[in-house]
Amino acid sequence: YDSESGNIYNKPQHIIHHGSVIIYFLTGQLIKAEILLDTQQKEINLSAFAGGVYFVQINTGKTVLCKKVLLQY
């Protein structure tokens, strides 16, 4: 996560042929979901989201990673 730009970056070591990025608010509310097709890098801008705690779930098709992101403005 880059706090200056408000962007999160997904930079896997291999190409994701079919995966997803899902962003949830702390309460479990779905905020954003994007499909990843044949990509090696994905950038998502979070600057329009309110400050708070979010969970970012990245599914590469082989593994699932969940990270907590704290947005403070």
Side-chain angles (χ1 to χ4, degrees), residues 7 22 31 56 62 69-70:
N7 294 329
I22 303 171
I31 301 297
V56 179
K62 294 182 180 182
V69 175
L70 174 62

Side-chain angles (χ1 to χ4, degrees), residues 25-61:
F25 193 62
L26 179 64
T27 61
Q29 176 186 4
L30 176 66
I31 301 297
K32 185 174 188 110
E34 290 194 20
I35 300 296
L36 303 176
L37 294 175
D38 298 324
T39 186
Q40 189 168 6
Q41 181 174 334
K42 181 66 179 178
E43 178 179 326
I44 298 175
N45 190 308
L46 302 178
S47 64
F49 298 158
V53 178
Y54 294 84
F55 292 96
V56 179
Q57 180 182 15
I58 301 170
N59 181 342
T60 68

